[in-house]
Amino acid sequence: MSDSTGDNSKSRVIVLGGCGFIGRNLVDYLISNDLVSHLRVVDKTPPQLAFLNPTHSKAFEDPRVEYKSANLINPVSCASALEPSEQPWSLVVNCAGETRFGQTEAVYAEGIHNLSVTVAKQCALMKLRLIEISSGCMYSSDKPQKEDCPVEPWTVEGRMKARVEEELKNMDLDYTIIRPAIVYGVGDRRSLTPRLLYGGIYKHLGETMKLLWTADLKMNTVHVLDVCRAVWTLARRNDAIRQTYNLVDDANSTQGNLAEIVSEIFNINHDYYGTAISTLAKNDIASVAEEANDKHLTAWADICRKYSLEHSPLEPSAGAELLLNKQLCLDGSKLKEIMTMDVPAPTASALLEVLQDYASMNLFPKELLM
């Protein structure tokens, strides 16, 4: 690609995992705000197969954007993905990683830890600035946790990212680590969207949506647009190099807050099993998760048939670790000294926007939103 497509004084950016949820929103943010002269999207899934909406597709079709397929786990393929195009890169943002539920530990180790370490080593070799999207699930507490909290991650992504963070400290590399809370927004498939699908399913079934534990379970959140803003803000600050930042909105969201929004969207009732029954379920949480997923997937298949959704990528399933009594509660004050959140809290309209976007592409039934 010729550099004549953009202003050469602007940044040249690589977005790894650029066809994923955060990645596609970051591409759109950088292009629509005219922040880059050249943007390379690296992903194993081509944009044409990534279920991009029209807004994201338009960003990917911009002449400043190029797509490159790569297996970032492989050092040779990774080096090729980061190879300069006429001029050096200003920034690499790593949004890539294995996100599918139900994979083996080895698959996650390769697709999260090995991938991120391979990328970091290549960035160190090429003297590139790296923003690493990590995980906020580092320590469970109902009190806000700062960046120096104990590291006892309870999700497989958290465990793998914690190992990555430790290895970055030993590299000669200009990096910044972002630990986001639960990221939601248009294009989300695996964060809050499964809970939205549950709402649609229980409306379809005519049943009350019942949840483990209580309404007070901390499930802090952040909108994907604020993730994009944080990436760009931190990438331009020298004092952010070799620093870690929690990224969370102002809502201090709980399971109860989010369930109320889902119930409002679908006009359904919700309730909780409570601590006693949930503690019993915890003893065989894998079976509980399997039973819940079977029920939800069966109902979702019925919905897809009823409303002729032939190729929807949405899945109302969750791993057992996400059903545990674990609190995601982050202190984001370090980053908020630098930037404020444009989206301070999840709202019914913001979550409805996610479903309406999918409905516009016939990936979610608009009838369930009526």
Side-chain angles (χ1 to χ4, degrees), residues 90-147:
S90 314
L91 174 67
V92 176
V93 184
N94 185 22
C95 307
E98 180 58 70
T99 57
R100 295 172 297 167
F101 292 126
Q103 307 302 302
T104 65
E105 190 85 0
V107 169
Y108 291 119
E110 185 174 59
I112 299 176
H113 171 265
N114 294 4
L115 182 152
S116 294
V117 170
T118 300
V119 167
K121 287 179 177 177
Q122 188 62 35
C123 287
L125 185 66
M126 298 174 67
K127 304 297 183 186
L128 297 176
R129 178 85 162 86
L130 173 67
I131 301 286
E132 174 72 22
I133 306 295
S134 186
S135 168
C137 299
M138 290 298 173
Y139 187 72
S140 174
S141 173
D142 61 356
K143 303 292 188 296
Q145 296 298 298
K146 294 193 173 185
E147 291 79 0

Side-chain angles (χ1 to χ4, degrees), residues 8-224:
N8 293 342
S9 66
K10 294 179 180 176
S11 296
R12 299 167 56 81
V13 177
I14 299 180
V15 180
L16 306 177
C19 293
F21 165 42
I22 295 176
R24 68 184 61 187
N25 281 280
L26 181 58
V27 170
D28 181 46
Y29 177 82
L30 295 174
I31 292 298
S32 62
N33 288 288
D34 196 21
L35 299 173
V36 296
S37 63
H38 188 173
L39 193 157
R40 177 180 290 171
V41 172
V42 179
D43 205 300
K44 61 186 178 185
T45 301
Q48 296 83 356
L49 300 178
F51 297 97
L52 300 179
N53 67 20
T55 298
H56 293 149
S57 293
K58 182 180 178 182
F60 275 69
E61 291 163 2
D62 188 280
R64 290 167 289 179
V65 178
E66 66 164 316
Y67 166 75
K68 193 161 188 173
S69 178
N71 174 12
L72 295 171
I73 300 166
N74 182 292
V76 175
S77 183
C78 182
S80 174
L82 272 56
E83 196 172 51
S85 173
E86 298 185 22
Q87 294 183 31
W89 298 106
S90 314
L91 174 67
V92 176
V93 184
N94 185 22
C95 307
E98 180 58 70
T99 57
R100 295 172 297 167
F101 292 126
Q103 307 302 302
T104 65
E105 190 85 0
V107 169
Y108 291 119
E110 185 174 59
I112 299 176
H113 171 265
N114 294 4
L115 182 152
S116 294
V117 170
T118 300
V119 167
K121 287 179 177 177
Q122 188 62 35
C123 287
L125 185 66
M126 298 174 67
K127 304 297 183 186
L128 297 176
R129 178 85 162 86
L130 173 67
I131 301 286
E132 174 72 22
I133 306 295
S134 186
S135 168
C137 299
M138 290 298 173
Y139 187 72
S140 174
S141 173
D142 61 356
K143 303 292 188 296
Q145 296 298 298
K146 294 193 173 185
E147 291 79 0
D148 59 356
C149 69
V151 177
E152 297 177 11
W154 68 92
T155 67
V156 65
E157 180 188 26
R159 291 195 299 275
M160 299 304 163
K161 287 294 189 179
R163 290 170 54 193
V164 172
E165 290 187 16
E166 284 303 308
E167 295 196 42
L168 290 185
K169 293 175 184 176
N170 298 320
M171 295 185 192
D172 182 14
L173 173 64
D174 288 348
Y175 69 84
T176 300
I177 292 167
I178 295 177
R179 292 179 177 172
I182 299 170
V183 185
Y184 70 97
V186 170
D188 166 38
R189 284 163 53 182
R190 296 189 173 95
S191 293
L192 286 187
T193 296
R195 287 181 177 262
L196 294 172
L197 297 183
Y198 299 156
I201 286 167
Y202 284 99
K203 180 175 183 176
H204 170 73
L205 294 174
E207 297 178 11
T208 295
M209 180 175 68
K210 294 200 72 172
L211 304 164
L212 286 176
W213 308 109
T214 68
D216 297 329
L217 187 70
K218 293 294 177 71
M219 296 181 63
N220 284 186
T221 50
V222 65
H223 195 279
V224 69

Side-chain angles (χ1 to χ4, degrees), residues 289-325:
E290 184 177 3
E291 183 178 339
N293 286 336
D294 284 347
K295 176 177 181 175
H296 295 150
L297 288 168
T298 299
W300 179 241
D302 290 342
I303 289 170
C304 289
R305 281 192 295 270
K306 180 177 180 179
Y307 297 106
S308 302
L309 310 181
E310 295 181 3
H311 305 292
S312 178
L314 304 179
E315 284 189 25
S317 56
E321 61 191 12
L322 297 179
L323 301 181
L324 296 172
N325 187 27

Side-chain angles (χ1 to χ4, degrees), residues 322-351:
L322 297 179
L323 301 181
L324 296 172
N325 187 27
K326 296 295 186 179
Q327 313 260 7
L328 177 54
C329 187
L330 300 180
D331 182 328
S333 57
K334 180 178 177 180
L335 180 57
K336 288 173 183 175
E337 291 179 1
I338 300 171
M339 61 172 275
T340 57
M341 300 296 119
D342 274 358
V343 187
T347 61
S349 60
L351 293 182

